[in-house]
Amino acid sequence: MNILIVYTYPNHESLNASFLQHTLKGLHDHSQKHEVQVLDLYAESFNPVLDFHKEKRRRDLYKDPDLEKYREQIKWANQLIFIYPIWWGRPPAMLLGYIDKLFSANFAYRDTKGLFAEGLLKGKSAICISTMKGPTHYPFIWLHNAHKILMKRALFQFVGIKKIKFFEFGSMEKKEGKQQKRLLQIESHMRNL
């Protein structure tokens, strides 16, 4: 299986970095060989800012030469894995900018005359691994689980990705946050992917 991991956290000595390492360990321990690429948005200095003007139109993002490398990674992958924190009830702006730029019309979806667009990324699956300082159910209680709705319905299902798995880990800054247990949970899941 071709797996693209999109890692979005600026500190490479963090819990999120540990989730990346345990993800990789689980994938490499798997009995079948996976081809794995890691896109580290911060290390890559990915520019999340959308810039539109007369010569650079939003509707042409699908053919922007600056984004070709990233489009090729998504095309290549059968499985997309996103590792990121939840800040203010949503993924970091860096990841949202990546989504804004890459999951564009005529690449990730096609407008139709019907009510819904046609998803062009059918057959792919996605896993989201997210951490947060607050309790795991905090976004659900206060924000009606806006993060999961954003990622699942407004993004993945819209572009044709139907198989989606979420790992949302709260209270991760507390000593009793069970970080090691969560890391091993991710490693085990990846080993059985």
Side-chain angles (χ1 to χ4, degrees):
M1 182 184 321
N2 293 341
I3 299 172
L4 173 63
I5 300 172
V6 180
Y7 173 75
T8 312
Y9 199 77
N11 182 353
H12 292 86
E13 296 178 11
S14 65
L15 180 61
N16 279 273
S18 294
F19 274 108
L20 173 60
Q21 294 311 313
H22 281 263
T23 296
L24 291 169
K25 184 174 185 327
L27 292 171
H28 292 307
D29 286 351
H30 193 280
S31 60
Q32 296 178 359
K33 296 240 177 184
H34 294 302
E35 293 289 324
V36 179
Q37 292 183 31
V38 177
L39 171 58
D40 182 333
L41 292 176
Y42 281 96
E44 184 92 4
S45 296
F46 182 83
N47 179 5
V49 178
L50 286 172
D51 182 26
F52 303 125
H53 44 77
K54 196 174 183 179
E55 290 80 35
K56 190 173 186 176
R57 299 176 303 181
R58 183 170 185 232
R59 66 176 168 247
D60 294 331
L61 275 175
Y62 75 98
K63 58 184 180 181
D64 184 331
D66 295 337
L67 301 174
E68 181 63 24
K69 166 184 148 179
Y70 306 110
R71 285 192 301 271
E72 288 303 317
Q73 288 176 323
I74 293 171
K75 281 192 231 175
W76 167 84
N78 309 103
Q79 174 82 61
L80 303 170
I81 299 175
F82 297 87
I83 301 173
Y84 55 92
I86 299 293
W87 289 335
W88 298 108
R90 55 146 181 83
M94 177 72 85
L95 179 56
L96 294 176
Y98 172 83
I99 290 166
D100 286 346
K101 285 184 165 185
L102 271 301
F103 289 77
S104 60
N106 300 313
F107 172 71
Y109 69 93
R110 180 180 304 124
D111 288 321
T112 65
K113 294 183 183 193
L115 183 59
F116 297 103
E118 176 190 359
L120 300 178
L121 300 181
K122 293 178 183 125
K124 298 182 186 298
S125 55
I127 297 173
C128 293
I129 302 167
S130 59
T131 60
M132 62 191 103
K133 180 179 179 179
T136 300
H137 300 294
Y138 179 81
F140 180 76
I141 294 166
W142 296 105
L143 303 169
H144 306 291
N145 219 1
H147 156 252
K148 198 179 271 188
I149 290 169
L150 166 74
M151 297 300 280
K152 183 176 182 179
R153 294 185 187 157
L155 173 61
F156 295 132
Q157 290 179 346
F158 188 81
V159 300
I161 298 173
K162 303 295 183 204
K163 188 176 176 188
I164 308 149
K165 174 89 174 147
F166 286 90
F167 292 95
E168 295 178 313
F169 301 126
S171 302
M172 287 288 98
E173 291 187 10
K174 295 180 179 179
K175 286 186 180 180
E176 62 276 6
K178 301 181 180 150
Q179 292 92 339
Q180 191 60 31
K181 180 180 177 183
R182 301 305 186 204
L183 290 166
L184 293 175
Q185 179 184 353
I186 290 300
E187 187 177 318
S188 174
H189 183 80
M190 297 305 164
R191 195 173 287 121
N192 297 309
L193 198 59

